[in-house]
Amino acid sequence: MKAKVLIAYLSYSGNTKEVAELLAEWMEEQEIDVDLHLIGIDPPIDVSQYDRIFIGTFTWESGSTPDEVKDFVLEVGYKPEGVAVFGTGDTQFGGDALFCHAAEKLAKFYHSKWEPLKIEQSPRGSQEESVQAWMKGVLMGE
């Protein structure tokens, strides 16, 4: 049976969207059934139908998780297995201590087996390889 994956993300600047689209593109090339869900825009979704759930967020203000992402967590209503978290951030705001802090908090909340993927601004260039390597590890259960 083919794996079914959800990529739910929130993006204001477009950076988190870029990561989500990179993940989706690579998964589709591997013939993985993937759905993109724009948090705060798309209607509520039943996450129980997915084998893996990727949640993408940016870090807001002083290390905060955006309200729309918190609402998505409440909408889901439980902590599904197999959640992996990715985040985009900018070390010039808050330095290393707050870099992608929202992704870290979400990964901890979901007891994710995987370290959150942290991307400085856009995933372009050498960071594309990091995105792909992280995703392979999640999908292969590593």
Side-chain angles (χ1 to χ4, degrees):
M1 187 171 128
K2 199 155 93 165
K4 190 167 172 94
V5 173
L6 174 67
I7 302 172
Y9 69 95
L10 177 66
S11 187
Y12 284 177
S13 68
N15 293 334
T16 311
K17 179 182 180 187
E18 276 188 64
V19 176
E21 289 173 345
L22 265 177
L23 291 169
E25 181 182 313
W26 190 87
M27 287 179 205
E28 287 167 353
E29 288 172 6
Q30 303 303 310
E31 298 183 2
I32 294 170
D33 187 7
V34 60
D35 291 331
L36 283 168
H37 177 81
L38 185 52
I39 293 173
I41 302 295
D42 292 341
I45 191 163
D46 177 11
V47 300
S48 68
Q49 63 183 315
Y50 296 95
D51 301 305
R52 287 271 190 278
I53 301 164
F54 290 76
I55 300 176
T57 185
F58 55 89
T59 297
W60 198 236
E61 297 173 340
S62 301
S64 299
T65 304
D67 288 341
E68 295 93 332
V69 176
K70 291 177 186 175
D71 291 344
F72 175 77
V73 168
L74 292 173
E75 212 172 80
V76 169
Y78 72 104
K79 294 181 184 181
E81 298 272 327
V83 172
V85 181
F86 62 94
T88 57
D90 193 332
T91 51
Q92 76 177 9
F93 300 109
D96 291 339
L98 297 179
F99 178 62
C100 293
H101 195 63
E104 289 178 358
K105 290 194 290 189
L106 278 172
K108 184 176 180 180
F109 174 80
Y110 281 110
H111 305 291
S112 181
K113 295 184 256 184
W114 306 280
E115 287 293 317
L117 173 67
K118 300 176 190 178
I119 297 296
E120 176 85 26
Q121 297 181 355
S122 168
R124 296 186 191 123
S126 63
Q127 292 191 109
E128 282 186 41
E129 293 172 13
S130 300
V131 172
Q132 193 172 84
W134 176 80
M135 184 206 50
K136 284 180 182 178
V138 171
L139 292 176
M140 305 305 174
E142 297 169 7

